[in-house]
Amino acid sequence: MNPAKPSSRADVRADIRDLATPLVHLASEPYYHATGDELAVFEAAARSCLPVMLKGPTGCGKTRFVEHMAWRLQRPLVTVACHDDLTTADLVGRYLIVGDETVWMDGPLVAAVRAGAICYLDEIVEARKDTTVVIHPLTDSRRALPVEKRGEYIEAPPDFMLVISYNPGYQSVLKEMKPSTRQRFVALDFDYPEAEVEARIVAHEGGVDDATAKKLVKLGSLTRKLKGAGLDEGAGTRLLVHAAQLIAVGMAPEIACTAAIARPLADEADTRNALDDLITAVF
Amino acid sequence: MSERKLFAHELEARLDELLLLSLRQRSAEEPAALLEALPRQMQERVLHWAGVAAQTSDDLGWLIVSLAAVKAASLGEDFDDWVRAGLDAYDRSGLAATRKALNDFAEVRRSSEQRSPGSVSFAAIEGRLSRFLHALDGRPLKLVSGKTAWTDTETLWLPERLDLADDAAENRLIYKATAALLWAQTRYGTFNLDPEAELELWPDRGRGLAWFAVVEAMRLEACIALELPGLALDIARLRGPWPPALDAAAEKLARPEATVADSLDCLAELRRVGAGDTPNFPHVGALDPVAARRVRAARITREMAIMRRALNVLRGTGPDGAAADKSDYPPLAAEGETQVVDPQFELLSLPPPAREAAKSLMQDFGEIPPEALHPAGPGAWQPVDGVDTPITASCTTPPDAFYDEWDYRRAAWRHDWCHLYEMEAPPGDHEWVDEVRQRHAHLIRSIRRRFEALRGEDKPQKRQFDGEEIDLDAQVDARADRKSGAAPSPRLFIHRRRVERSLAVMFMVDMSGSTKGWVNDAERESLVLLCEAIEALGDSYAIYGFSGWTRTHCDIYRIKRFGDRYDAGTRSRIAGIEARDYTRMGVAVRHLSGLLARQNTRHKLLVTLSDGRPDDYGDEYRGRYGIEDTRRALLEAREKGIRSYCVTIDRHGADYLPQLYGPAHYSVIDDAKKLPQKIAEIYRKLTG
Ligand SMILES: Nc1ncnc2c1ncn2[C@@H]1O[C@H](COP(=O)(O)OP(=O)(O)OP(=O)(O)O)[C@@H](O)[C@H]1O
Ligand SMILES: [Mg+2]
């Protein structure tokens, strides 16, 4: 933020506007390759005003899918990355002090409700337990959000839709979502796409030819076998796309894969070396 | 990592933490002062190795640190090898030998370098290679060192040390190429045909076998080239050109559809032209088709059984015979009991272990043998022992409780069907526990350390009513609220306190007859380790055993109640856990989850340690009935807010677990001996 003191009220207002939740209107179609009936289920859920939960490992297209659906349904999108310090106020909103005045600032959730947007809460299990409950009244038949501090009760318009994501790879019972939260959502399972589909995605997103994309996907599937044997999780599609992008701008495939896939996956020497061996084996 | 050197006092603090020096009235002041002069990277390496050594023994850690302080600077790049040599000596012959090895390192190294400067040892490459192989397709392979390189299709043997080439990189490549070729033998069917008939025709069987290895190497290299072209290129460069005499063979074997039959044809051709000795290729190991085919045959029998058992469940031809309805299982392509129209389709609906077996069978045959697709029939479900023992329902005392049981065929409850007796477990030999604690002292200590970190002490909690620090964010919010006329929140402080885990765990231990021997030992040892670890965490936990026979005799043994301490009494009851009768699991889950539900904690976890599927004497509990009832009991527990997790020691029969626990809620351990090592890690993952 700008450390200099705002001089006039107009400046202050401008500063505050910068803090407001960005509503993203997607103008062009975000590329998404469907892998099952997720498009139809999501559309039906949207029509029926039901919230949706996306489950799946990291980098398998959940965020991209939501962007795509926002475009398809022509609704604005608000994304919140959840973390363990996320408070209710961070979602709903708070008063800020501006000079001698106080100004109410909508949080992303309220902003999305008012705008009839899709609100995407990424990695919901990371959020504090007391934060998660604010979404309860929004996700049952009430479809409303009470804003206690303002004494306001906002009813959600039909276009408002709540989407959460969650990676079931975590097995900790302490991070498990409460049944009362889970059972409010229509759930969609995401997984790494099948090899051919994934190659098409990598080719498209990374701008590489089919042969290179196939090799990257092969490498990805090899690393996924190391889950639990040196790796917590194999390479997601995202990492493959990253490697492809480096290759597309002229980097040698092996260097690109080491930098974009092997290094982000592992720190431990044996695993790093084994990943390097896999890379040279595939290319 | 920052580049700043650590100061002596920082080094001292970290060493103290790693080696628990203050407990032993030692001071790291002296080594810390010496280490201060080293670059940061070297300092970190010394600390790293000190930690590693301390996992084995504190004294070893101390020895390494005190010598490293003096020698690290001069060792430079050799430092890691120096420590490894020391650790090695310790494992072999104790502390005194370690000191000697560390002091003599330079000389030993000099003399060995004269022998082979770039030589690479198996130990140095094992971790890397085993991960590499693990990632490749096909069934898992074990990697061990031996005299020659060969495989029996489940284990790969590689030489102790390689110094064929001058530099280390090249020797590492030879290791990799050798291992890859052995992997390819198992992956692409080298042992799918019996070569004996051909080998017998050779005047010198050894020579025939050596040529067989060479022609197979040619064929397999072509197979590798299709999947892993980079690896094939490396191998080709390593071996140099094939001898001209093999030109015809090379062409024939490079076709993608070539199989081991083609290799045998080439071998016969070589015999006819009277081939001499084989040229030497660094990456071509030895072949022992007899040993390999023996292992293969045993595996096939095992996997056929798994497949057929899984198909049994799938097609509802379990022990209940025709009574089984198929509604809960995925539809099948063919309902005929013996012929399957579309095996591929059916494979998809198999449970994971059976799918693994199917894949492995495909590897061994190139297809699923039709015999594997016949369900085993009820006979296969008979227990091996105890069938004829007459049962005398010797219980004259009234049961402690009655439980309903779920009958999936009626889709209804059988009321008060199970008679439950709860009793204190008989004590065993408490010296056994001391022995286990001693034997696993290092493991226990490292587990405890890791668990202590889990306690999450000192995690700042924001927005508390009261605390040591002011929460600035909260203060700003409050001020804004006050200004706007809203009531400000009084939660204005940060409190640094241990995060309350609020977790109660119930361990439900299988004491059925089948656990006799290794499994029982592993269960008991694991419980000792768990207790030691959980004591460090402060979670509330209880341990109960279960066994029994028939519905009128379901026994629950109290080993440790929630309120009980982990004291001598508890320890001797753990020691006393023994293999008894059968596994009527549903009623045990119901009873124990009832006890657990009464605990006043936020989270409740039921962990089952068992060696197999639900089972009971004689009646219908074996098979689908028991699985359905147990699943029902677990769902009921879930409704009470209890999470279940099952740790199963079961190499072959874990096909029912996904049905019981859902995909994320169990782990299968194939070897009972590994349970104690793994259990604490599982618990940490589960509750971390
Ligand atoms: N089905 C798909 N169609 C198009 N692109 C995809 C698809 N799956 C993955 N991708 C690519 O992978 C990248 C990562 O996907 P995304 O960011 O949606 O992952 P995510 O599931 O949200 O991961 P995380 O859980 O880490 O947030 C995308 O940017 C996109 O390039
Ligand atoms: Mg995402």
Side-chain angles (χ1 to χ4, degrees):
Chain A
M1 247 192 302
N2 190 352
K5 251 196 174 158
S7 49
S8 75
R9 179 157 303 175
D11 288 347
V12 172
R13 293 274 174 216
D15 266 9
I16 291 212
R17 256 201 314 280
D18 288 348
L19 287 175
T21 307
L23 286 173
V24 179
H25 294 268
L26 293 143
S28 60
E29 174 177 357
Y31 168 77
Y32 178 75
H33 198 303
T35 54
D37 47 14
E38 68 268 31
L39 298 178
V41 174
F42 195 98
E43 277 184 352
R47 228 175 301 128
S48 320
C49 295
L50 293 175
V52 169
M53 160 161 67
L54 312 178
K55 301 201 280 180
T58 181
C60 67
K62 300 186 291 293
T63 301
R64 178 59 66 86
F65 172 66
V66 176
E67 288 169 353
H68 179 84
M69 292 314 295
W71 170 81
R72 209 167 240 260
L73 299 170
Q74 285 300 306
R75 298 188 193 173
L77 177 64
V78 172
T79 304
V80 182
C82 300
H83 50 83
D84 56 3
D85 263 350
L86 191 80
T87 60
T88 314
D90 293 333
L91 279 182
V92 174
R94 55 166 49 100
Y95 282 105
L96 300 176
I97 302 175
V98 178
D100 279 345
E101 281 181 66
T102 57
V103 183
W104 171 261
M105 170 68 67
D106 278 345
L109 187 59
V110 169
V113 172
R114 288 197 209 279
I118 294 179
C119 182
Y120 179 41
L121 303 179
D122 209 350
E123 280 299 346
I124 184 86
V125 282
E126 295 296 334
R128 290 160 55 127
K129 289 271 150 38
D130 54 328
T131 307
T132 344
V133 293
V134 307
I135 64 172
H136 281 194
L138 264 180
T139 46
D140 53 32
S141 55
R142 289 172 278 176
R143 282 188 47 92
L145 182 61
V147 184
E148 270 165 36
K149 279 193 183 154
R150 307 223 332 148
E152 205 181 339
Y153 188 79
I154 315 175
E155 303 216 356
D159 274 358
F160 170 77
M161 184 176 187
L162 190 70
V163 181
I164 63 174
S165 79
Y166 139 73
N167 183 345
Y170 303 116
Q171 292 194 346
S172 173
V173 277
L174 303 183
K175 279 205 175 149
E176 174 89 340
M177 218 186 298
K178 287 198 297 203
S180 59
T181 305
R182 284 172 87 95
Q183 293 192 11
R184 294 176 131 77
F185 292 86
V186 172
L188 282 172
D189 266 332
F190 279 69
D191 205 344
Y192 309 118
E194 273 176 32
E196 248 168 66
V197 175
E198 193 169 26
R200 238 174 295 152
I201 295 171
V202 172
H204 179 278
E205 290 283 293
V208 292
D209 56 51
D210 283 352
T212 310
K214 282 213 175 84
K215 286 184 175 183
L216 286 167
V217 169
K218 169 89 190 171
L219 179 63
S221 73
L222 295 178
T223 66
R224 287 166 203 166
K225 288 193 70 186
L226 285 179
K227 177 172 181 176
L231 294 182
D232 289 334
E233 194 125 41
T237 311
R238 177 187 302 126
L239 290 191
L240 307 184
V241 169
H242 288 174
Q245 287 168 339
L246 295 184
I247 295 172
V249 296
M251 188 158 258
E254 295 179 30
I255 300 175
C257 289
T258 307
I261 298 176
R263 293 298 170 261
L265 280 180
D267 296 321
E268 187 242 347
D270 279 339
T271 311
R272 284 165 68 120
N273 287 330
L275 288 171
D276 287 348
D277 287 343
L278 290 173
I279 292 168
T280 43
V282 169
F283 283 96
Chain B
M1 191 195 331
S2 126
E3 289 304 305
R4 178 179 76 72
K5 283 184 185 177
L6 294 175
F7 294 115
H9 68 274
E10 293 170 305
L11 286 161
E12 193 179 333
R14 284 185 57 184
L15 285 171
D16 187 52
E17 189 187 324
L18 284 170
L19 304 175
L20 306 173
L21 292 175
S22 41
L23 292 183
R24 316 186 130 230
Q25 272 126 33
R26 271 179 186 156
S27 156
E29 198 180 334
E30 205 175 310
L34 289 166
L35 290 171
E36 193 185 46
L38 297 176
R40 173 66 178 264
Q41 201 210 357
M42 199 60 173
Q43 292 178 330
E44 289 293 342
R45 265 159 76 186
V46 173
L47 290 169
H48 164 77
W49 282 113
V52 172
Q55 302 242 315
T56 311
S57 125
D58 285 337
D59 289 330
L60 181 63
W62 174 249
L63 178 66
I64 300 255
V65 166
S66 36
L67 290 177
V70 187
K71 295 188 178 242
S74 65
L75 282 163
E77 279 306 300
D78 290 337
F79 179 70
D80 291 354
D81 286 342
W82 176 76
V83 182
R84 280 199 200 97
L87 297 183
D88 228 35
Y90 184 85
D91 289 344
R92 265 182 285 112
S93 9
L95 205 58
T98 313
R99 184 184 298 276
K100 184 164 161 20
L102 290 174
N103 281 326
D104 299 349
F105 177 79
E107 277 166 47
V108 173
R109 152 122 332 185
R110 228 173 289 121
S111 65
S112 82
E113 262 172 13
Q114 278 160 6
R115 274 209 320 270
S116 50
S119 87
V120 173
S121 71
F122 175 79
I125 198 153
E126 178 189 1
R128 169 184 190 163
L129 262 188
S130 69
R131 282 179 179 73
F132 175 67
L133 291 171
H134 191 103
L136 301 182
D137 289 338
R139 79 174 73 83
L141 294 166
K142 217 168 96 194
L143 200 58
V144 294
S145 70
K147 277 215 163 49
T148 48
W150 74 287
T151 180
D152 67 1
T153 73
E154 289 183 7
T155 304
L156 293 194
W157 281 266
L158 290 175
E160 206 51 80
R161 176 172 286 280
L162 272 182
D163 49 12
L164 291 173
D166 290 337
D167 73 302
E170 198 69 5
N171 282 321
R172 275 197 290 270
L173 179 59
I174 300 178
Y175 260 125
K176 182 165 78 172
T178 312
L181 200 61
L182 295 176
W183 162 78
Q185 289 178 359
T186 72
R187 176 75 181 84
Y188 302 107
T190 295
F191 305 103
N192 289 3
L193 286 182
D194 189 351
E196 253 2 91
E198 168 60 30
L199 291 173
E200 268 168 23
L201 298 175
W202 284 71
D204 176 354
R205 185 178 183 278
R207 181 178 289 174
L209 204 52
W211 276 111
F212 185 34
V214 171
V215 287
E216 269 295 273
M218 300 176 87
R219 179 180 75 88
L220 296 174
E221 193 180 310
C223 296
I224 293 174
L226 286 179
E227 294 266 313
L228 304 164
L231 181 58
L233 282 179
D234 273 346
I235 296 178
R237 185 179 60 69
L238 184 72
R239 65 162 158 80
W242 297 114
L246 290 174
D247 279 352
E251 199 176 317
K252 185 176 164 95
L253 295 174
R255 294 168 308 136
E257 67 275 13
T259 68
V260 65
D262 297 286
S263 299
L264 286 172
D265 286 348
C266 294
L267 186 60
E269 186 55 35
L270 285 164
R271 170 170 51 79
R272 276 190 288 275
V273 302
D277 278 340
T278 51
N280 238 335
F281 297 107
H283 69 304
V284 178
L287 278 181
D288 186 345
V290 178
R293 284 183 60 81
R294 200 165 42 226
V295 171
R296 173 178 178 270
R299 176 178 59 243
I300 289 171
T301 315
R302 209 165 62 219
E303 283 166 350
M304 292 271 219
I306 294 176
M307 281 280 293
R308 298 170 71 178
R309 235 185 318 159
L311 288 173
N312 255 347
V313 177
L314 210 54
R315 296 181 188 164
T317 52
D320 326 316
D325 70 280
K326 299 173 171 103
S327 56
D328 281 7
Y329 291 98
L332 298 179
E335 291 292 341
E337 292 300 333
T338 49
Q339 272 306 315
V340 177
V341 175
D342 184 1
Q344 289 302 331
F345 177 82
E346 196 170 37
L347 285 185
L348 291 177
S349 50
L350 285 175
R355 224 179 301 154
E356 286 306 311
K359 274 197 259 166
S360 173
L361 283 169
M362 290 230 251
Q363 208 172 315
D364 277 327
F365 287 101
E367 57 170 14
I368 306 266
E371 313 86 277
L373 296 171
H374 295 208
W381 295 82
Q382 294 306 317
V384 183
D385 44 70
V387 193
D388 304 321
T389 332
I391 297 229
T392 45
S394 62
C395 37
T396 44
T397 43
D400 294 312
F402 294 93
Y403 282 93
D404 296 350
E405 191 166 275
W406 179 254
D407 184 341
Y408 78 99
R409 296 165 306 193
R410 308 183 194 177
W413 294 99
R414 292 174 145 176
H415 289 291
D416 290 344
W417 191 246
C418 298
H419 302 191
L420 182 123
Y421 296 84
E422 188 186 305
M423 63 206 88
E424 178 149 312
D429 174 9
H430 75 265
E431 275 169 27
W432 176 85
V433 175
D434 294 337
E435 187 266 324
V436 170
R437 285 163 93 191
Q438 214 155 41
R439 184 150 40 87
H440 289 302
H442 301 308
L443 186 57
I444 288 177
R445 208 173 40 191
S446 78
I447 294 172
R448 283 188 82 118
R449 268 194 216 139
R450 258 177 298 155
F451 272 52
E452 272 156 15
L454 254 193
R455 271 204 312 228
E457 251 156 336
D458 264 21
K459 186 159 185 208
Q461 296 210 296
K462 302 183 78 175
R463 295 176 197 269
Q464 302 298 313
F465 285 112
D466 170 18
E468 298 75 39
E469 286 167 50
I470 288 170
D471 185 341
L472 265 185
D473 292 341
Q475 293 281 356
V476 170
D477 281 353
R479 180 143 174 255
D481 286 348
R482 205 168 323 145
K483 279 240 162 194
S484 71
S489 161
R491 295 169 162 269
L492 299 174
F493 297 93
I494 293 178
H495 184 32
R496 294 190 174 275
R497 69 147 183 233
R498 166 201 294 198
V499 179
E500 196 53 75
R501 284 168 59 87
S502 190
L503 173 68
V505 192
M506 166 71 75
F507 292 98
M508 174 173 138
V509 185
D510 183 351
M511 290 169 59
S512 63
S514 53
T515 61
K516 194 169 180 140
W518 259 112
V519 175
N520 176 264
D521 287 348
E523 282 180 348
R524 292 187 298 154
E525 281 188 27
S526 309
L527 287 173
V528 174
L529 294 185
L530 269 174
C531 290
E532 297 281 341
I534 299 177
E535 288 291 320
L537 262 176
D539 291 344
S540 147
Y541 68 108
I543 306 172
Y544 287 78
F546 70 102
S547 179
W549 49 21
T550 75
R551 66 186 184 87
T552 56
H553 208 141
C554 309
D555 299 335
I556 294 283
Y557 298 92
R558 278 191 303 271
I559 295 155
K560 178 185 175 302
R561 286 171 302 186
F562 278 108
D564 290 345
R565 298 225 325 250
Y566 175 55
D567 54 14
T570 300
R571 286 199 283 268
S572 76
R573 282 191 296 277
I574 291 177
I577 294 175
E578 59 181 17
R580 289 167 183 268
D581 313 311
Y582 285 87
T583 335
R584 203 171 191 103
M585 232 154 143
V587 55
V589 169
R590 290 190 179 96
H591 184 68
L592 296 179
S593 57
L595 295 180
L596 180 54
R598 264 179 252 154
Q599 294 306 302
N600 214 349
T601 52
R602 249 230 335 264
H603 304 282
K604 300 176 182 83
L605 179 64
L606 174 73
V607 179
T608 314
L609 285 184
S610 98
D611 80 328
R613 66 177 67 230
D615 181 17
D616 199 357
Y617 179 82
D619 68 2
E620 70 274 273
Y621 208 78
R622 185 171 305 136
R624 179 153 171 210
Y625 182 101
I627 290 177
E628 296 282 347
D629 176 52
T630 310
R631 180 166 68 180
R632 197 76 188 197
L634 291 168
L635 285 174
E636 292 158 32
R638 174 104 219 194
E639 280 159 17
K640 293 185 195 136
I642 293 173
R643 286 274 320 265
S644 318
Y645 193 89
C646 181
V647 180
T648 298
I649 308 158
D650 188 343
R651 215 182 134 115
H652 311 304
D655 44 4
Y656 54 94
L657 281 172
Q659 276 180 47
L660 278 189
Y661 290 91
H665 306 314
Y666 63 91
S667 48
V668 182
I669 289 176
D670 56 2
D671 179 357
K673 287 176 223 176
K674 289 189 201 144
L675 182 64
Q677 316 277 332
K678 292 211 171 146
I679 186 79
E681 203 41 41
I682 290 174
Y683 187 79
R684 194 174 71 94
K685 269 213 167 135
L686 208 52
T687 68

